[in-house]
Amino acid sequence: MHVENWIHLCVDMQRMFADHTPWHVPWMAEVSPQIIELSSRFPERTIFTRFVPPASADAMPGMWKTYYEKWDVMTSKHLPSELVDIVPSLRKLIPPARVFDKRTYSPWIDGRLKAALSGDNVGSVVISGGETDVCVLAAALGAVDLGYRVILLKDAVCSSADQTHDASLELLGDRFSVQVQIMETERWLSEAGQSEYGSRRR
């Protein structure tokens, strides 16, 4: 398997999901070791996304306004700013790891991420983070639409809802099997490490 020209897209590993907020994702602690291992080994290939809430519901269009009327406690006028940041165990990798902020589930909407990857001739996107059935799913489908090969690390993604986490992995692995490959982090690290060694020898 050709694994050069890839990036690791780590989705929303933020304190507001790791800490005990209304958006707490308990399984984040379970997948963190795999994410830390991959990010630490390849920080220069890692991009962290951050889901950044608005100051208030009125700052958002359409149904996003309705969404934040429900989750007013998670708008930035109430949420401490430090909770929006990447968890400390990963934050220390920036730089060389990069951060892309987003207001939507998908990181691809405004075009900045795609533009950044175009300059690096990236062909594959390796995805970790949370939540499997929301932002990870949106990131994966957006990458598929843009023509990337997607590698989803099933032991490095998490959700607060087990049933839809499992369903999302089944959906991506079944209906999108030509464009999405699902594998364990250890296997990817082995294949990526072999590729890095080979490229250094050439």
Side-chain angles (χ1 to χ4, degrees):
M1 175 179 161
H2 180 68
V3 295
E4 295 179 19
N5 297 326
W6 60 276
I7 60 104
H8 168 216
L9 187 65
C10 182
V11 179
D12 301 357
M13 289 292 289
Q14 297 164 254
R15 286 188 55 191
M16 64 182 179
F17 302 116
D19 292 5
H20 290 284
T21 72
W23 287 353
H24 176 58
V25 180
W27 281 103
M28 188 171 281
E30 297 296 322
V31 302
S32 288
Q34 291 78 251
I35 295 174
I36 291 169
E37 176 67 18
L38 175 56
S39 302
S40 298
R41 195 173 298 189
F42 299 103
E44 72 286 350
R45 292 184 183 267
T46 296
I47 296 175
F48 297 112
T49 67
R50 299 195 313 172
F51 185 73
V52 181
S56 67
D58 289 336
M60 296 296 285
M63 292 305 295
W64 279 112
K65 179 179 179 181
T66 305
Y67 179 84
Y68 281 108
E69 287 173 347
K70 175 183 178 180
W71 294 108
D72 181 65
V73 68
M74 297 301 290
T75 57
S76 62
K77 69 180 178 183
H78 299 299
L79 187 71
S81 59
E82 61 268 21
L83 293 186
V84 177
D85 208 359
I86 304 299
V87 296
S89 58
L90 297 172
R91 180 68 182 82
K92 64 184 181 181
L93 301 174
I94 307 166
R98 293 173 282 175
V99 176
F100 273 77
D101 290 345
K102 59 192 176 77
R103 293 285 195 188
T104 57
Y105 299 140
S106 173
W108 306 105
I109 296 297
D110 65 10
R112 292 182 303 117
L113 181 56
K114 168 65 173 174
L117 300 190
S118 296
D120 296 334
N121 195 30
V122 169
S124 299
V125 176
V126 182
I127 298 179
S128 69
E131 293 189 54
T132 316
D133 43 357
V134 187
C135 293
V136 166
L137 180 62
L141 292 179
V144 166
D145 275 341
L146 291 169
Y148 294 111
R149 179 189 182 95
V150 174
I151 296 95
L152 189 71
L153 302 177
K154 64 180 179 180
D155 60 338
V157 293
C158 61
S159 174
S160 55
D162 291 350
Q163 184 175 358
T164 45
H165 165 83
D166 293 341
S168 297
L169 290 178
E170 183 177 356
L171 170 71
L172 290 167
D174 183 10
R175 296 299 299 272
F176 299 93
S177 60
V178 172
Q179 296 149 307
V180 178
Q181 184 171 5
I182 298 177
M183 67 171 67
E184 301 277 351
T185 304
E186 184 177 359
R187 179 184 167 192
W188 173 255
L189 286 170
S190 175
E191 295 188 7
Q194 291 172 7
S195 176
E196 291 288 308
Y197 176 71
S199 65
R200 286 195 298 267
R201 292 188 65 188
R202 284 195 293 271

